[in-house]
Amino acid sequence: MLKNKTTCTPRPGPGARALYLGGREHKRVSCTAEALVVTNARTQVMRFPLVRVARVVSSTDVVDWSGAALALCLRAGIGITWLDTHGQALGSLYAQPRNTASLATVLELWTERADGAQLYQHWLRARRMDILVRWRQEHAEVVSPQQWETTKRDYVYASQYTVHLPEPLRHLCLAYVAAQLNSHGLTPQLWGPRLENMDLDEDLCDLLWAEMNLGAGTLADTVQDDATTTQLFERWSARNASALTLHLVHLHRTALKAMHT
């Protein structure tokens, strides 16, 4: 008996990075079954496989999307954030959650496991590595092999920071994280079966700080007053609205996978 073949939409893989679609030249986004296809005004075509796209940041005035391309990103779990001409985020598009256990429920079950705290640390280390890999890819021309190995050893495995998050920025970042956690029905802390304390809000804040600092230089040097601090954080969070969502999505997937092992 012949069976109908089913196709599976590729998901972002290890090392996937953000795709920025902007500039002054008009672009049209279409797709194949496994990639986004961008055609510019000179009919030049660029193909971006889904496994290499973590999220998309798109201009609203020079980029036109086809319905098929939007649907493909939704099926692949790739978020899209649109920026206006002033660089402000107008909104984001994410896949509609399916009928599955909520993140809050999954984490509660996960942390009740005897190895829950250990698995959480494995997840945290994996997210630090993901941030570092993207940093190296985006700054390949200036990151030396020695700097890569040193940063990987200190940041990924020892969780040590060369530059710590200044207090004014940390307060803004924690407030942002707390609001997002609350929207998912999550508390700032998780507790293991032996009352191990896992500071979810602090850990997520540190992930965002590493992404901010590695991607935009030493931000601490630019912090001079409260107004500058607020403007700096708001500008970064507007352009990277999906950063925290991606960490939570990955946490959800990891916890779901652990529940079935």
Side-chain angles (χ1 to χ4, degrees):
M1 178 183 294
L2 294 176
K3 296 183 178 180
N4 292 329
K5 293 176 65 178
T6 59
T7 58
C8 180
T9 301
R11 298 275 174 168
R17 57 191 296 181
L19 171 61
Y20 294 91
L21 301 176
R24 298 180 179 179
E25 191 175 53
H26 184 270
K27 300 175 182 65
R28 170 73 177 171
V29 185
S30 56
C31 67
T32 64
E34 299 183 348
L36 293 175
V37 179
V38 180
T39 306
N40 63 21
R42 291 167 290 158
T43 69
Q44 295 174 320
V45 177
M46 294 165 284
R47 185 176 178 275
F48 300 93
L50 294 185
V51 294
R52 297 181 182 176
V53 180
R55 57 191 174 89
V56 181
V57 179
S58 174
S59 170
T60 58
D61 58 331
V62 297
V63 182
D64 293 332
W65 284 77
S66 71
L70 292 173
L72 185 69
C73 287
L74 288 175
R75 288 195 296 271
I78 296 172
I80 306 171
T81 298
W82 280 273
L83 302 181
D84 63 17
T85 54
H86 301 290
Q88 297 297 313
L90 290 180
S92 299
L93 176 71
Y94 302 103
Q96 180 69 28
R98 298 182 182 274
N99 293 326
T100 186
S102 68
L103 176 57
T105 300
V106 171
L107 287 185
E108 183 177 355
L109 295 173
W110 188 23
T111 54
E112 288 176 355
R113 292 173 51 132
D115 60 349
Q118 182 182 8
L119 291 174
Y120 177 79
Q121 292 303 320
H122 289 335
W123 169 80
L124 199 54
R125 191 177 301 117
R127 299 315 295 160
R128 292 197 293 263
M129 177 62 82
D130 180 76
I131 290 172
L132 204 63
V133 167
R134 286 188 280 111
W135 166 68
R136 182 176 64 172
Q137 291 174 336
E138 294 169 5
H139 301 82
E141 70 282 357
V142 296
V143 178
S144 67
Q146 182 180 5
Q147 184 182 12
W148 162 254
E149 293 298 332
T150 300
T151 308
K152 181 172 65 173
R153 182 186 66 243
D154 294 343
Y155 173 58
V156 176
Y157 297 107
S159 189
Q160 295 177 353
Y161 298 84
T162 304
V163 181
H164 289 280
L165 182 58
E167 282 304 307
L169 268 175
R170 188 170 193 84
H171 296 159
L172 292 175
C173 192
L174 282 172
Y176 175 70
V177 170
Q180 296 300 313
L181 291 180
N182 183 66
S183 70
H184 288 276
L186 295 170
T187 58
Q189 293 178 320
L190 303 174
W191 298 91
R194 291 181 293 276
L195 296 183
E196 305 98 327
N197 181 27
M198 291 163 274
D199 293 316
L200 184 58
D201 61 338
E202 296 277 355
D203 292 334
L204 288 170
C205 183
D206 287 339
L207 289 175
L208 293 182
W209 166 240
E211 198 156 0
M212 279 189 281
N213 200 53
L214 288 171
T218 308
L219 294 180
D221 293 341
T222 67
V223 177
Q224 301 173 351
D225 52 57
D226 290 345
T228 303
T229 299
T230 302
Q231 184 180 34
L232 174 67
F233 183 78
E234 290 299 325
R235 185 166 64 246
W236 185 90
S237 58
R239 288 184 173 272
N240 297 270
S242 63
L244 180 56
T245 300
L246 288 175
H247 290 309
L248 292 176
V249 167
H250 192 274
L251 180 59
H252 197 175
R253 290 175 180 171
T254 302
L256 279 172
K257 184 177 179 180
M259 287 173 58
H260 295 91
T261 58

